[in-house]
Amino acid sequence: SAHYSVFHAHLALGSLLQLFAVHPAGFLAKPFTYEQFAACLSGLLHEFTYTTDFLDYTLENTHRRIRVKEVLYLKAQGKKVAFHTREGSFSVYGKITDLIANCAEQFLCISRGEYANLRHVMSITPHEICLTDNIILHISRGRLHAVQQRLAEL
């Protein structure tokens, strides 16, 4: 569930650059034409529609998709998998390995049943990994060597 915002601003260039923190799809300067607006919107729709970085899952008997970059980490909870995102978390029935089969290289197994999204790794210590939004996850002793090897490959 991605959120999109439209900003109308009369700012200096330096202030506009601060907007990159929200990852803008593009900028339009007034006055702009319909063609310029359509090109900006078309690019956004193309990125969202044709990006293959999605995790497919079923929730409440409905097939759904979530962009990989929206997932901070996944955690197994019995027969369910909890998806943790910036907007919150939700659980679905299944196995993590099945859910990430098409994009396993984008995740890092840090303990049994817990996978961190590599796009959100901010820092790492010998026993913990820090993700976006200052989420701290514990690296199990059994996975420590594999985690260090995987990060060295990146």
Side-chain angles (χ1 to χ4, degrees):
S1 62
H3 299 283
Y4 298 98
S5 301
V6 175
F7 293 96
H8 172 265
H10 180 75
L11 300 169
L13 180 60
S15 299
L16 272 177
L17 293 177
Q18 293 176 353
L19 290 177
F20 277 102
V22 296
H23 306 289
F27 289 101
L28 294 170
K30 291 192 324 184
F32 55 86
T33 65
Y34 171 79
E35 289 79 16
Q36 291 171 318
F37 177 74
C40 183
L41 187 58
S42 176
L44 177 64
L45 290 174
H46 178 51
E47 177 190 345
F48 187 77
T49 305
Y50 296 106
T51 301
T52 58
D53 293 343
F54 284 94
L55 294 178
D56 295 310
Y57 62 94
T58 302
L59 182 63
E60 299 172 359
N61 295 322
T62 304
H63 178 79
R64 300 174 188 222
R65 305 175 93 195
I66 186 170
R67 297 184 81 173
V68 170
K69 70 180 185 180
E70 293 179 32
V71 178
L72 299 172
Y73 67 100
L74 299 166
K75 184 168 186 160
Q77 298 175 327
K79 294 184 178 184
K80 288 188 167 187
V81 174
F83 284 70
H84 295 272
T85 69
R86 286 182 169 173
E87 285 78 33
S89 61
F90 61 93
S91 296
V92 301
Y93 285 99
K95 294 181 180 178
I96 294 177
T97 53
D98 293 342
L99 292 170
I100 66 169
N102 295 331
C103 56
E105 71 282 352
Q106 296 182 50
F107 288 89
L108 176 64
C109 181
I110 58 170
S111 66
R112 184 175 179 203
E114 195 164 22
Y115 288 72
N117 186 336
L118 287 170
R119 293 183 186 192
H120 292 285
V121 173
M122 302 302 285
S123 64
I124 185 168
T125 67
H127 302 290
E128 296 177 333
I129 193 165
C130 180
L131 303 178
T132 308
D133 295 349
N134 292 321
I135 295 171
I136 305 292
L137 300 175
H138 178 73
I139 301 171
S140 70
R141 284 184 296 186
R143 294 290 309 161
L144 185 58
H145 183 69
V147 167
Q148 290 172 341
Q149 280 186 321
R150 178 78 191 282
L151 291 174
E153 294 171 2
L154 298 178

